[in-house]
Amino acid sequence: YPIYLLPVPPNPIPVPPNPPSYPSTASQCSRTPSQCSQCPPTPLPLPPSTPLRPSQSPRRPARPGGTLRWPWAQVRVVTGQTYLLTEAEELWEKELPPAVEALLAEARAGTHAADPGLRSCPGPAAGVPRRDRTRAVTYQVPHNAAVQVYDYRERRARVLLGPELVMLGPGEELTVLSLSAGRPKRPHARRSLCLRLGPDFCTDIVTIETADHARLQLQLAYNWHFEVPEDPKALGRLFSVPDFVGDACKALASRVRGAVAAVTFDDFHKNSNRLICSAVFGFDEGGRLRQQVRFAPNGLVVTSVDIQSVEPVDQRTRDALQRSVQLAIEIATNSQEAAARHEAERLAQEARGRLERQRLLDQAEAERARRELLELEALSAAVESAGAARAEAQARAEAARIEGEAAILQAKLKAEAIAIETEAELSRLERTQAQEVRAQRARAEAEAARAQALADVEASRVREVAAALGPETIRDIARAGPELQVKLLQGLGLQSTLITDGTAPLNLFATARGLLGLAPPPESSAPQSPAL
């Protein structure tokens, strides 16, 4: 078990012989909560120089003539090991307020799961076993719950979320929640060490008064839960409101009273649910009813409200309401009876109408069946005659098909005979033409050889004649004709001459210009005949 150890100082501080006395009840106490065990369990931290009693907590004085130990800043917790006290150490007892002791005893007994908290009482509960004060104080935080631990040494608080095992240090205390309870809610009616995060519900009784001074008593149930922030440093806001139940119930009750005070009893009786929901949740910017209401200081969210009962406070109003309810029940009963009679008559008329309609439908169905019978008989006769005609037509078609197949077979045989004759004739013609081609090729080759021989002979003759005459003689023979013509023209005295025939037409206009030595016109593109 973890224990608290306190070092023993080498030089004890003497205690005055007449120590101050402490009051026995909280009503006689004039000290701060940090100096009295009967005060509410939210003590302020002691200054570091405050002396302690000799092996007890700092809330009790030491006996006359005793010694004072060091401040609890020197106390330490030993856990997880076997430890033997030295000559300079002793076990230190940690005292807790009676309410915290009772709550811890209840938690150790395992009853906090069903009802986490005790009824308010001035002292410790009867029958609660006392704990060993030298052992470290531990508390099992339930699931979906939170516990706040305040450290007086560091002057700061920490919040732990369950399930978690909390072990208090020498200078740490558990924060006790003092919540409202009962119907209607009474403040400080229940105390608890853990804060349930929900979802859960609480019930409250609210007295309202309508615009026509009708006083009613409403029993409302609110479903709520806490929005747990993701930042661990922001978890302290869960404990920012000491009595979140009473605060929320008072705020919602004031909203309901303000909304009901503006309407009459009849309007409230007809629209109580809508009126209370709109008063609790309000409307958004678009005019739609909100789904929840959120308390920003501690993150409490109310998700729904249930109207469990509505009862008048005044007996006369209650009797009048009872009479009006009975009258409304009678009116509703009469209207239901009239509606039932009307509905029965309507159903009877509908049944007679359906019966008559069914009779007409049956007659029409019978006529339709008779018509279909006649159509089937006519169709059967038509099928019979069509079958005979079809059989005769099929027989004729089969005969025609057989004749056609025979004619086709005969034509195929004739075609095969013609093909055989044609192939034989083609074979004969191919052989004949091949022989003619070979004969013509032989003649052509012989003729070509003869022509080549003649050409060779003529070429050799020409070469021999040319060699015999010589090149100068041949040149003179070639020039003799043109020179003779030139001499004849010179003898005739002609300056120019034009020789043409009927196949080449002559442009006399262009010729005249050429004879005169004039240039042809630019636009003229006619060709000129050669002149000699």
Side-chain angles (χ1 to χ4, degrees):
Y1 296 94
I3 58 175
Y4 297 111
L5 291 180
L6 176 66
V8 179
N11 297 319
I13 303 174
V15 178
N18 296 320
S21 61
Y22 287 80
S24 58
T25 60
S27 59
Q28 302 175 0
C29 182
S30 61
R31 294 175 177 80
T32 60
S34 62
Q35 299 171 346
C36 182
S37 60
Q38 301 296 335
C39 294
T42 54
L44 297 176
L46 293 173
S49 60
T50 303
L52 300 180
R53 63 184 184 82
S55 75
Q56 297 294 327
S57 70
R59 296 190 179 95
R60 287 188 182 177
R63 289 177 295 178
T67 58
L68 292 179
R69 305 304 184 189
W70 288 359
W72 45 256
Q74 302 296 330
V75 179
R76 60 190 179 94
V77 180
V78 177
T79 180
Q81 60 180 339
T82 302
Y83 189 80
L84 181 63
L85 297 179
T86 63
E87 67 279 359
E89 293 177 340
E90 66 177 9
L91 294 176
W92 182 74
E93 296 182 0
K94 182 178 178 62
E95 283 194 357
L96 296 175
V100 178
E101 292 281 5
L103 292 173
L104 290 177
E106 180 189 13
R108 289 193 299 270
T111 60
H112 70 283
D115 188 10
L118 291 176
R119 301 290 181 180
S120 292
C121 57
V128 177
R130 296 181 60 84
R131 65 177 179 86
D132 187 355
R133 297 184 180 182
T134 60
R135 292 181 180 178
V137 179
T138 59
Y139 179 70
Q140 182 69 38
V141 183
H143 176 69
N144 199 24
V147 169
Q148 186 182 41
V149 179
Y150 187 83
D151 189 353
Y152 292 99
R153 181 184 303 175
E154 302 292 338
R155 296 177 181 271
R156 61 182 178 85
R158 58 189 176 99
V159 178
L160 296 94
L161 300 178
E164 181 71 25
L165 180 63
V166 180
M167 181 181 298
L168 299 183
E172 291 182 339
E173 291 283 349
L174 289 170
T175 300
V176 179
L177 297 175
S178 182
L179 305 177
S180 297
R183 301 175 189 176
K185 289 291 181 285
R186 293 178 293 102
H188 309 295
R190 184 175 296 273
R191 292 186 177 184
S192 176
L193 294 178
C194 63
L195 174 66
R196 295 288 182 172
L197 301 178
D200 204 344
F201 72 95
C202 62
T203 307
D204 191 15
I205 294 178
V206 182
T207 302
I208 60 175
E209 185 174 356
T210 61
D212 51 358
H213 305 290
R215 300 187 66 204
L216 303 175
Q217 193 176 53
L218 305 180
Q219 182 171 335
L220 305 177
Y222 309 103
N223 288 337
W224 57 268
H225 67 273
F226 280 95
E227 289 184 350
V228 181
E230 298 181 358
D231 186 8
K233 298 181 180 179
L235 292 175
R237 74 173 189 179
L238 298 174
F239 294 85
S240 59
V241 179
D243 185 7
F244 72 93
V245 175
D247 183 72
C249 290
K250 289 178 182 178
L252 298 178
S254 64
R255 294 186 182 185
V256 172
R257 281 193 293 267
V260 174
V263 298
T264 61
F265 174 75
D266 293 337
D267 295 338
F268 174 76
H269 187 67
K270 295 176 182 178
N271 307 307
S272 59
N273 186 29
R274 181 178 58 83
L275 184 64
I276 292 177
C277 289
S278 61
V280 171
F281 299 111
F283 298 92
D284 56 7
E285 293 78 3
R288 295 183 297 272
L289 183 66
R290 291 192 180 95
Q291 299 298 323
Q292 61 184 12
V293 59
R294 183 176 180 275
F295 294 88
N298 59 347
L300 178 66
V301 178
V302 178
T303 56
S304 65
V305 57
D306 180 24
I307 306 174
Q308 295 181 347
S309 65
V310 179
E311 296 181 359
V313 177
D314 189 7
Q315 184 64 33
R316 291 178 298 176
T317 306
R318 186 178 304 170
D319 297 338
L321 179 61
Q322 185 67 25
R323 288 194 298 270
S324 64
V325 170
Q326 291 177 357
L327 181 60
I329 292 173
E330 292 177 0
I331 294 173
T333 304
N334 295 332
S335 63
Q336 289 178 0
E337 291 178 357
R341 287 195 300 270
H342 177 72
E343 185 69 18
E345 294 176 358
R346 185 181 64 81
L347 291 177
Q349 292 178 1
E350 288 182 356
R352 288 193 295 270
R354 285 196 297 269
L355 181 60
E356 185 67 21
R357 184 171 178 270
Q358 186 64 34
R359 186 177 63 81
L360 297 176
L361 290 176
D362 292 342
Q363 292 178 359
E365 188 67 25
E367 293 296 331
R368 188 180 300 108
R370 188 178 297 106
R371 185 189 63 183
E372 290 178 355
L373 177 60
L374 295 176
E375 289 178 354
L376 291 175
E377 290 178 353
L379 182 61
S380 176
V383 168
E384 184 178 357
S385 60
R390 187 180 296 108
E392 185 179 356
Q394 288 179 354
R396 289 196 298 268
E398 187 68 18
R401 185 183 63 79
I402 294 173
E403 291 177 0
E405 289 179 355
I408 290 172
L409 181 59
Q410 184 179 2
K412 285 182 179 180
L413 295 176
K414 288 181 180 180
E416 290 177 358
I418 293 173
I420 292 172
E421 292 177 359
T422 304
E423 288 178 358
E425 185 65 22
L426 287 175
S427 178
R428 185 184 63 78
L429 291 176
E430 285 179 357
R431 290 194 297 273
T432 303
Q433 289 177 0
Q435 292 176 0
E436 290 180 358
V437 167
R438 286 194 296 271
Q440 288 180 3
R441 186 180 295 113
R443 286 195 296 272
E445 289 177 355
E447 187 67 25
R450 178 176 172 277
Q452 183 67 30
L454 291 178
D456 292 341
V457 171
E458 184 65 23
S460 62
R461 186 183 66 80
V462 171
R463 282 195 300 270
E464 290 177 356
V465 172
L469 293 177
E472 295 180 357
T473 303
I474 294 173
R475 184 186 61 194
D476 292 338
I477 293 172
R479 297 178 56 183
E483 288 179 355
L484 178 60
Q485 292 178 359
V486 172
K487 289 179 180 181
L488 288 176
L489 291 174
Q490 290 177 356
L492 292 176
L494 297 176
Q495 296 296 325
S496 64
T497 180
L498 178 65
I499 301 173
T500 182
D501 54 6
T503 59
L506 180 64
N507 190 351
L508 297 179
F509 296 99
T511 304
R513 288 178 175 273
L515 293 176
L516 297 175
L518 299 176
E523 63 276 3
S524 176
S525 60
Q528 297 182 0
S529 301
L532 298 177

